[in-house]
Amino acid sequence: MPVQSIQLEPGNDDDRLELPGQPYAMALWNLIVRPPRRRYDLARLGPEEFRLWSVCVKRIDINLTNSRGMTLRCSHFLPRALAEGNPACDPGLEPRPVVIYLHQNASCRLEALNLVPLFLPLGISLFCLDFAGCGESDGEYISLGWFERDDLSDCVDYLRKTGKVSAIGLWGRSMGAVTALLHADRDHSIGGMVLDSPFCNLTTLATELAQSEYLAVKVPTWLLSGVMGLGRIRIRSLCGFDIEELKPEQHVGDSFIPALFVHGRGDDFIPPHHTEKLFAAYNGDKELEMVEGDHNSPRPNHLNRKAVLFFCRAFRCSPTPQANEDGNLARKLGLDTLGLDGSLDLPVMSRQLVLEAGKQLAISGSFPPVPGGGPAPAGAARPWLGDRHQLFIPFRAEGALQLCE
């Protein structure tokens, strides 16, 4: 079957969605196991080294082989000193917490880039991956959490073996949130979870989708039972799992990990009642945050702030950005050092201040301070302000103020 390609930026083919031809929209199982696949050029991940506040960040790209023999494309953003050092040999280095971001269906690890400027200045590293069947990883189909939990388990094992991480948190959205729930009841060492828009029962969700606007032709009520039976057989044949057995609601009773549940009030793909049911049945410490927006809406800054602070409490680490004695560009411009809240919505921004920040960056660069005021070394880390990397719009301006001199 021919594959259609949809450019996410007109005239730019390095970030696109791939989907089969016309019969695609007619098949219920495509919504479940073969949604549009996001393909991208690796340059979309940004530079391998950059700076946020006083932290030099290094991205390490990893290829892991999952339990089904498929290659998973992964990236780990962590402080450069930790990336290049070994806590087991260097008493000055300590393992740091990590958050594993788990993307939704029809997506990939690029979805995690918005969170890089929130976690790294706090000394919390960020790990992300393309699930099998997504992005640039191997595989043809997804399973909405059934096999993805094994992909996650492989990533957790890898991180623990590096010796560079301490506590591990999970931030999942949609399929990623279900994956986190399915993993949590078998790994009680997870420090905390943010669960954005999970479904409680795949059969229930499939029944709702069959009569939704997401199918080119809605399934009449009198045909629903037959179509669901056919979809179940087809998915089992293509992917090797039974949709009747994918019930996250049966896993929440055995999970005691602190969890922040999130859902968009206008979500018509996975309606809010799914998360509300999971939240009610969850046995661990829990919070519920309903936000404006639909299934794919960007989450508001206040929600991301709340989620980061939630992880700081779960990890028992400070929510204050790490800084060195040389200060940062914000101090050079006469501003106090910005905290977590300020990095998201600084009220004093003005065109003059942005121009002055740009001037200072152009004059002094963003290279690490050199003792004695000497020139910055060649190849030193450069700033990453987020253009073409889908970071928060506010971060593109205010983030410049947080870069080191």
Side-chain angles (χ1 to χ4, degrees), residues 166-225:
S166 52
I168 296 177
L170 307 177
W171 186 327
R173 184 159 180 177
S174 187
M175 175 178 74
V178 172
T179 300
L181 277 172
L182 297 183
H183 178 79
D185 70 342
R186 63 184 187 182
D187 183 358
H188 299 293
S189 69
I190 298 299
M193 301 187 295
V194 172
L195 306 167
D196 189 339
S197 310
F199 59 83
C200 64
N201 184 305
L202 183 52
T203 302
T204 301
L205 176 62
T207 301
E208 294 169 348
L209 290 175
Q211 297 185 301
S212 73
E213 301 292 339
Y214 289 94
L215 282 184
V217 179
K218 293 183 181 180
V219 178
T221 303
W222 60 273
L223 266 181
L224 190 58
S225 177

Side-chain angles (χ1 to χ4, degrees), residues 23-44:
Y24 174 86
M26 303 293 292
L28 174 62
W29 51 82
N30 279 330
L31 285 176
I32 298 174
V33 299
R34 186 58 281 157
R37 183 169 189 159
R38 189 170 180 181
R39 295 285 193 179
Y40 58 93
D41 189 281
L42 291 182
R44 304 292 290 190

Side-chain angles (χ1 to χ4, degrees), residues 382-401:
R382 54 196 169 121
W384 189 35
L385 301 186
D387 56 331
R388 297 189 72 246
H389 299 297
Q390 301 179 2
L391 299 183
F392 290 116
I393 294 295
F395 174 76
R396 298 180 185 179
E398 286 84 8
L401 303 180

Side-chain angles (χ1 to χ4, degrees), residues 17-89:
L17 290 178
E18 289 184 352
L19 65 161
Q22 279 301 317
Y24 174 86
M26 303 293 292
L28 174 62
W29 51 82
N30 279 330
L31 285 176
I32 298 174
V33 299
R34 186 58 281 157
R37 183 169 189 159
R38 189 170 180 181
R39 295 285 193 179
Y40 58 93
D41 189 281
L42 291 182
R44 304 292 290 190
L45 290 169
E48 293 184 3
E49 292 191 25
F50 53 95
R51 306 196 66 200
L52 294 169
W53 286 69
S54 298
V55 180
C56 292
V57 180
K58 185 169 184 176
R59 189 190 84 237
I60 300 177
D61 295 328
I62 310 109
N63 292 335
L64 299 180
T65 301
N66 69 7
S67 57
R68 293 180 287 160
M70 301 174 184
T71 299
L72 304 176
R73 312 294 181 184
C74 314
S75 295
H76 191 187
F77 296 86
L78 66 172
R80 187 173 65 186
L82 187 58
E84 298 177 350
N86 185 351
C89 303

